Amino acid sequence: MIRVPNRFFRFCGWMLMLSGLLTIIIQYIHLEDVPSGLDQMEYFVDVAVWTHIGLLLSFAMFLMGFVGLYLRQAEGLKWWGWLSFGFLFMFFMLDATHAPIQIFGYPVFFDNIQTEDQLQAASDMVMKIGSVGPGFMMMAALFPCIFFGTLLMGISMLRAKVLSKWPAIATLVSIVFIFVPYGPETKYVLSLFPYLIFAWYGGILAFEKREDTVELSRNLNGEAVNTRVS
């Protein structure tokens, strides 16, 4: 039997908490995908670049903590519960692919923009990236990944009965927000609710008081004995 140290779960909990809170903050200062006009060009590229550097850092912390969330409940998860790990892992990996475009591409696409026509041409080029070819297929995969991942995660963690049931119930409730159109107003709710749930789970992992666990081992005579570890 492999025993995962408690400090690993605490580390994962802190990663989930920091990632959730950082992502919420970033979403509140996140600009639209393209500038609304020339008046934004003074600050648009800098904000886009640094917010997406922050998102890459946040997603990296999230994926580290996400592993611990599932390992902590491994004894209670059914095989289909682990499918949610794959779906959600794929969602965050695909969603993170747009960050390098803004970090490395925006300083090039929007360099030396002087007229509205130049701005429109640059904006059209940016929007076309995710609407044709492999980029379109990757973006199209986001919805099924987040929908099935969230649904299976909520049900499996509720039935596992290892951690508190309330964040699992909140996860199922959050499915409603998947169908809410993304927009300038709704983006605040869409980013706040899901990442608060992950930060909630992170707090549980980071601060829970775990009881001693019992592992089954064998003595030198081959007889089964209980070995208690903290």
Side-chain angles (χ1 to χ4, degrees):
M1 178 180 290
I2 298 176
R3 178 174 173 266
V4 180
N6 288 341
R7 60 181 176 271
F8 175 76
F9 292 119
R10 287 193 290 270
F11 168 78
C12 291
W14 278 103
M15 290 296 98
L16 280 179
M17 278 198 301
L18 293 176
S19 172
L21 298 177
L22 178 60
T23 303
I24 290 172
I25 294 173
I26 290 174
Q27 291 298 333
Y28 272 75
I29 60 177
H30 190 289
L31 299 175
E32 299 303 314
D33 290 334
V34 295
S36 60
L38 287 176
D39 56 317
Q40 280 193 334
M41 291 309 301
E42 183 178 349
Y43 58 85
F44 179 86
V45 173
D46 288 338
V47 174
V49 168
W50 285 106
T51 53
H52 285 80
I53 290 175
L55 279 178
L56 279 183
L57 175 63
S58 175
F59 283 177
M61 291 191 297
F62 173 83
L63 292 177
M64 286 188 285
F66 197 52
V67 173
L69 178 62
Y70 276 77
L71 286 180
R72 176 66 182 86
Q73 303 174 89
E75 62 187 270
L77 291 176
K78 304 296 184 182
W79 66 268
W80 48 266
W82 289 96
L83 289 179
S84 65
F85 177 87
F87 278 124
L88 291 175
F89 193 96
M90 183 63 68
F91 172 82
F92 283 98
M93 286 294 296
L94 291 176
D95 194 35
T97 57
H98 82 282
I101 296 175
Q102 299 208 19
I103 295 172
F104 301 108
Y106 276 27
V108 177
F109 294 146
F110 295 105
D111 182 45
N112 198 30
I113 298 295
Q114 301 294 331
T115 67
E116 290 288 351
D117 289 339
Q118 290 176 330
L119 178 59
Q120 187 62 51
S123 299
D124 290 343
M125 182 181 300
V126 169
M127 299 305 293
K128 190 177 181 180
I129 292 175
S131 61
V132 297
F136 173 77
M137 292 185 290
M138 292 173 63
M139 294 300 102
L142 288 175
F143 179 80
C145 284
I146 189 63
F147 175 75
F148 290 111
T150 303
L151 178 63
L152 292 175
M153 174 184 170
I155 296 175
S156 63
M157 292 187 178
L158 185 62
R159 296 188 60 179
K161 298 180 180 179
V162 176
L163 301 178
S164 171
K165 65 180 180 181
W166 296 112
I169 293 174
T171 299
L172 293 174
V173 173
S174 70
I175 294 176
V176 175
F177 295 102
I178 297 176
F179 297 92
V180 176
Y182 184 88
E185 295 80 18
T186 58
K187 71 176 183 179
Y188 300 112
V189 177
L190 297 179
S191 62
L192 179 64
F193 199 74
Y195 288 104
L196 274 181
I197 296 174
F198 288 121
W200 188 358
Y201 268 126
I204 293 174
L205 291 181
F207 299 111
E208 70 172 337
K209 300 296 183 180
R210 295 187 61 190
E211 297 179 355
D212 289 348
T213 59
V214 178
E215 294 181 0
L216 186 65
S217 60
R218 293 186 179 274
N219 59 20
L220 294 178
N221 297 322
E223 298 172 341
V225 295
N226 287 331
T227 304
R228 186 170 295 277
V229 294
S230 58

